[in-house]
Amino acid sequence: MTSQLSLPAGDFGIYYVLAECTDYCDTLPVKEADGNQPHFQGVTGLRNLDNTCCVNAILQCLCSILPLVEYFLTGKYITALQNDCSEVATAFAYLMTDMWLGDSDCVSPEIFWSALGNLYPAFTKKTQQDAQEFLICVLNELHEALKKYHYSRRRSYEKGSTQRCCRKWTTTETSVITQLFEEQLNYSIVCLKCEKCTYKNEVFTVFSLPIPSKYECSLQDCLQCFFQQDALTWNNEIHCSFCETKQETAVRASISKAPKIIIFHLKRFDIQGTTKRKLIHYPLTNLDLTPYICSIFRKYPKYNLCAVVNHFGDLDGGHYTAFCKNSVTQAWYSFDNIRASQ
């Protein structure tokens, strides 16, 4: 296996697992394969339910993320379930169980697909849907079903004739989804007139990256393109609270919270909607995000590749496939409809 993986660029996502989190396979139930054709855990095809290749590709990738699989296979999710929105999470747990502990080479995702389709009817239509949108919906619904509330007190200052300090309660929501996938970016925004700096945070689970204009590039090229300083002028000016009017600004992003699982979505289409045919190289191991981490944080994460979703086609249609690394065999498998090939 080479140190770089490259595919003709379609609209695709890359899934990386933090290097320190790749030893979960020791905690999973192990089931011995029997017969002349052994069935490996987690290497299970999914039936296409009439144009559901985007659904199947995303589910195969989620099935290869061991911290997430471990959470569902060991039953930890049961104590966190919210009674009013448990259908999707329960169906997801049953599907992961079939794919990891079942005896079939192929299973149907129909129950999970139907449960999610009740909330998002667009995914039940017989037209191709967007895999990234499907992934975001799945992660959102799993979070809603499994979230817990945490209350904390923070210090704040009230303005008045005499400034006084008080403590206020704040509420945060956490779940296995936020613990694994949530990432936070910090934006430093400098007004080019008064040179005062303000900061803004953004939290998300899917990291969309631009593709540089050159034909052949690396994932690091995409990251550098995203994190380079950007000048906002003319119609893109930002309101400066110090100048009290819109001003030209310089904006630079950095990572203030690195997730255990990082998902990259590489943008394939430009503003005019034309296709960018490119070759993207990305590492199988030790993806280093150190150059993009906030300097005040001392964690310098490196990631190992665990799955890829690729789209072949254009804006009018196409086909999704998945490439996933199995933690039991340590081999890569290509999933195209119901077939899994090494």
Side-chain angles (χ1 to χ4, degrees), residues 84-259:
D84 57 342
C85 53
S86 62
E87 186 179 2
V88 171
T90 301
F92 184 81
Y94 289 165
L95 181 60
M96 291 298 104
T97 301
D98 288 342
M99 296 177 72
W100 271 90
L101 304 180
D103 297 321
S104 300
D105 292 329
C106 175
V107 297
S108 173
E110 184 172 5
I111 295 177
F112 175 79
W113 180 62
S114 177
L116 195 73
N118 291 334
L119 302 174
Y120 302 94
F123 291 118
T124 61
K125 295 180 179 179
K126 296 181 179 181
T127 55
Q128 186 173 101
Q129 303 299 319
D130 183 76
Q132 183 202 12
E133 292 180 4
F134 178 76
L135 170 64
I136 292 173
C137 291
V138 171
L139 295 181
N140 285 345
E141 288 308 314
L142 292 179
H143 169 71
E144 288 298 317
L146 302 168
K147 65 184 178 183
K148 294 182 179 179
Y149 296 96
H150 292 271
Y151 300 92
S152 59
R153 298 181 72 179
R154 65 179 178 85
R155 182 177 297 178
S156 62
Y157 294 90
E158 292 184 352
K159 294 183 178 180
S161 55
T162 58
Q163 191 179 57
R164 64 189 183 92
C165 174
C166 63
R167 294 183 180 274
K168 293 185 177 180
W169 287 96
T170 60
T171 305
T172 57
E173 295 179 355
T174 62
S175 70
V176 65
I177 302 303
T178 60
Q179 292 166 7
L180 294 179
F181 298 96
E182 188 173 88
E183 178 177 1
Q184 182 171 286
L185 286 183
N186 176 267
Y187 293 92
S188 62
I189 306 169
V190 179
C191 174
L192 297 182
K193 182 177 181 180
C194 69
E195 298 185 348
K196 295 291 181 62
C197 183
T198 57
Y199 297 93
K200 178 183 177 182
N201 292 324
E202 181 183 10
V203 176
F204 53 89
T205 53
V206 178
F207 197 163
S208 290
L209 293 176
I211 299 179
S213 57
K214 54 187 178 181
Y215 172 78
E216 188 169 342
C217 63
S218 68
L219 183 58
Q220 284 290 357
D221 292 330
C222 298
L223 287 164
Q224 290 172 10
C225 183
F226 179 89
F227 284 103
Q228 67 184 357
Q229 181 171 290
D230 192 16
L232 301 182
T233 60
W234 296 93
N235 294 332
N236 295 320
E237 291 179 349
I238 295 178
H239 184 272
C240 175
S241 58
F242 299 97
C243 299
E244 297 185 344
T245 184
K246 287 186 175 182
Q247 298 289 355
E248 294 183 349
T249 55
V251 180
R252 182 183 291 274
S254 59
I255 299 173
S256 55
K257 177 188 175 184

Side-chain angles (χ1 to χ4, degrees), residues 45-75:
L46 292 172
R47 291 191 179 89
N48 193 317
L49 304 175
D50 199 355
N51 217 3
T52 58
C53 57
C54 84
V55 173
N56 292 358
I58 292 297
L59 291 176
Q60 290 290 0
C61 289
L62 293 178
C63 179
S64 70
I65 297 176
L66 266 296
L68 183 67
V69 172
E70 184 264 350
Y71 181 83
F72 283 94
L73 292 194
T74 58

